[in-house]
Amino acid sequence: GMDGLEVARRLKRDPATRALVVVAVTVMNEGVDRSAAWKVGIDTFLSKPINPEEVKIKVSELLEAAAEHRRSEINHKAILSATFSGFWVSDRDGRFLEVDDTYLNLIGYGREEFLKLNVKDFEAHEDPEAFARHMQKIVETGSGIFETRHRKSDGSLIDVEASVNYFNFAGGRFYAYLRDITERKQAEAALKQS
């Protein structure tokens, strides 16, 4: 069977259950590796024996945090809808968690199809090892701005300028703002040839 960490890991990786709150119930003196639990997405801990007042407090805290997250998410989406850049969020392994319509239109994918893919499926400039090193550098520094190429659904390539920020929560998240610079790159190439 699966242990609790594996159950939490699977729940947090599945888009259908990712938003569920996962509470670990442990014995007070049990040697639980809490850092491993946080990394797989466990949201909080309760110690046995269960104290009903503690449960009420934890549930209230989690509900308030969820409401604040929802308010923040609405504000975030309003800001993104006003920008001309594409945007996506991925987890530390490159699995997409969120994407805006601008980026979907740019690369020609539908939302459901896109969210089943990985950042590595689009990267056309760096080989897998270079890409992994690049992402690790962003993890270490917290951000990066660079030019790269992405593969569209029809196989054609576009040049993009990417501004990526990394935040170490919920297992790690990359937030990427992407701007199509294909026309600029083509104009630069034409100038060099003339």
Side-chain angles (χ1 to χ4, degrees), residues 99 104-105 107-117 153:
V99 61
L104 290 173
N105 292 333
I107 60 167
Y109 280 93
R111 185 173 309 281
E112 283 187 38
E113 181 182 13
F114 179 86
L115 291 175
K116 293 176 184 173
L117 300 171
S153 63

Tab-separated table of all heavy atoms in Angstrom, residues 99 104-105 107-117 153:
chain	number	residue	atom	x	y	z
A	99	VAL	N	-2.522	28.673	-17.001
A	99	VAL	CA	-2.075	29.349	-18.215
A	99	VAL	C	-3.150	30.363	-18.605
A	99	VAL	O	-4.331	30.151	-18.347
A	99	VAL	CB	-1.820	28.349	-19.370
A	99	VAL	CG1	-3.080	27.598	-19.743
A	99	VAL	CG2	-1.198	29.030	-20.576
A	104	LEU	N	-2.032	30.662	-24.673
A	104	LEU	CA	-2.691	29.579	-25.417
A	104	LEU	C	-2.891	29.971	-26.882
A	104	LEU	O	-2.639	29.173	-27.787
A	104	LEU	CB	-4.040	29.223	-24.785
A	104	LEU	CG	-3.973	28.519	-23.435
A	104	LEU	CD1	-5.369	28.374	-22.844
A	104	LEU	CD2	-3.277	27.172	-23.540
A	105	ASN	N	-3.346	31.202	-27.123
A	105	ASN	CA	-3.536	31.687	-28.494
A	105	ASN	C	-2.207	31.764	-29.239
A	105	ASN	O	-2.127	31.466	-30.423
A	105	ASN	CB	-4.229	33.046	-28.506
A	105	ASN	CG	-5.665	32.955	-28.037
A	105	ASN	OD1	-6.311	31.912	-28.160
A	105	ASN	ND2	-6.173	34.037	-27.489
A	107	ILE	N	0.494	29.889	-28.847
A	107	ILE	CA	1.085	28.602	-29.217
A	107	ILE	C	0.098	27.597	-29.803
A	107	ILE	O	0.493	26.517	-30.237
A	107	ILE	CB	1.835	27.961	-28.031
A	107	ILE	CG1	0.894	27.725	-26.867
A	107	ILE	CG2	3.015	28.810	-27.615
A	107	ILE	CD1	1.479	26.831	-25.826
A	108	GLY	N	-1.185	27.956	-29.821
A	108	GLY	CA	-2.163	27.142	-30.542
A	108	GLY	C	-2.679	25.911	-29.825
A	108	GLY	O	-3.138	24.971	-30.470
A	109	TYR	N	-2.635	25.890	-28.510
A	109	TYR	CA	-3.168	24.757	-27.748
A	109	TYR	C	-4.456	25.139	-27.047
A	109	TYR	O	-4.651	26.307	-26.684
A	109	TYR	CB	-2.168	24.299	-26.670
A	109	TYR	CG	-1.055	23.441	-27.188
A	109	TYR	CD1	0.150	24.001	-27.561
A	109	TYR	CD2	-1.206	22.063	-27.279
A	109	TYR	CE1	1.195	23.215	-28.039
A	109	TYR	CE2	-0.169	21.261	-27.741
A	109	TYR	CZ	1.026	21.845	-28.117
A	109	TYR	OH	2.043	21.058	-28.582
A	110	GLY	N	-5.310	24.157	-26.807
A	110	GLY	CA	-6.459	24.337	-25.933
A	110	GLY	C	-5.999	24.176	-24.494
A	110	GLY	O	-4.975	23.547	-24.222
A	111	ARG	N	-6.762	24.741	-23.560
A	111	ARG	CA	-6.369	24.735	-22.144
A	111	ARG	C	-6.193	23.319	-21.596
A	111	ARG	O	-5.190	23.017	-20.963
A	111	ARG	CB	-7.409	25.492	-21.317
A	111	ARG	CG	-7.034	25.649	-19.851
A	111	ARG	CD	-8.005	26.551	-19.115
A	111	ARG	NE	-8.210	27.819	-19.785
A	111	ARG	CZ	-7.378	28.855	-19.727
A	111	ARG	NH1	-6.286	28.776	-19.014
A	111	ARG	NH2	-7.645	29.972	-20.379
A	112	GLU	N	-7.163	22.435	-21.820
A	112	GLU	CA	-7.069	21.074	-21.271
A	112	GLU	C	-5.854	20.338	-21.804
A	112	GLU	O	-5.142	19.671	-21.054
A	112	GLU	CB	-8.340	20.292	-21.568
A	112	GLU	CG	-9.493	20.670	-20.668
A	112	GLU	CD	-10.694	19.764	-20.862
A	112	GLU	OE1	-10.497	18.549	-21.060
A	112	GLU	OE2	-11.820	20.296	-20.819
A	113	GLU	N	-5.620	20.443	-23.096
A	113	GLU	CA	-4.467	19.777	-23.710
A	113	GLU	C	-3.170	20.346	-23.148
A	113	GLU	O	-2.246	19.611	-22.793
A	113	GLU	CB	-4.516	19.965	-25.229
A	113	GLU	CG	-3.387	19.294	-25.969
A	113	GLU	CD	-3.454	19.554	-27.468
A	113	GLU	OE1	-4.210	20.424	-27.928
A	113	GLU	OE2	-2.701	18.870	-28.179
A	114	PHE	N	-3.109	21.665	-23.043
A	114	PHE	CA	-1.911	22.337	-22.547
A	114	PHE	C	-1.567	21.904	-21.122
A	114	PHE	O	-0.409	21.620	-20.815
A	114	PHE	CB	-2.103	23.862	-22.600
A	114	PHE	CG	-0.919	24.629	-22.090
A	114	PHE	CD1	0.130	24.946	-22.933
A	114	PHE	CD2	-0.859	25.031	-20.767
A	114	PHE	CE1	1.226	25.642	-22.460
A	114	PHE	CE2	0.232	25.729	-20.284
A	114	PHE	CZ	1.281	26.031	-21.141
A	115	LEU	N	-2.569	21.847	-20.250
A	115	LEU	CA	-2.314	21.545	-18.843
A	115	LEU	C	-1.854	20.105	-18.614
A	115	LEU	O	-1.409	19.773	-17.522
A	115	LEU	CB	-3.548	21.865	-17.998
A	115	LEU	CG	-3.859	23.363	-17.887
A	115	LEU	CD1	-5.173	23.572	-17.141
A	115	LEU	CD2	-2.734	24.141	-17.234
A	116	LYS	N	-1.902	19.268	-19.641
A	116	LYS	CA	-1.382	17.902	-19.534
A	116	LYS	C	0.095	17.838	-19.925
A	116	LYS	O	0.725	16.796	-19.785
A	116	LYS	CB	-2.183	16.969	-20.440
A	116	LYS	CG	-3.614	16.783	-19.994
A	116	LYS	CD	-4.380	15.930	-20.978
A	116	LYS	CE	-5.841	15.838	-20.576
A	116	LYS	NZ	-6.643	15.151	-21.584
A	117	LEU	N	0.630	18.951	-20.433
A	117	LEU	CA	1.995	18.977	-20.939
A	117	LEU	C	2.967	19.494	-19.897
A	117	LEU	O	2.589	19.851	-18.785
A	117	LEU	CB	2.047	19.828	-22.216
A	117	LEU	CG	1.154	19.313	-23.356
A	117	LEU	CD1	1.106	20.321	-24.483
A	117	LEU	CD2	1.636	17.961	-23.846
A	153	SER	N	1.869	24.266	-31.301
A	153	SER	CA	1.157	22.999	-31.507
A	153	SER	C	1.336	22.473	-32.927
A	153	SER	O	1.313	21.263	-33.137
A	153	SER	CB	-0.335	23.165	-31.203
A	153	SER	OG	-0.925	24.091	-32.093
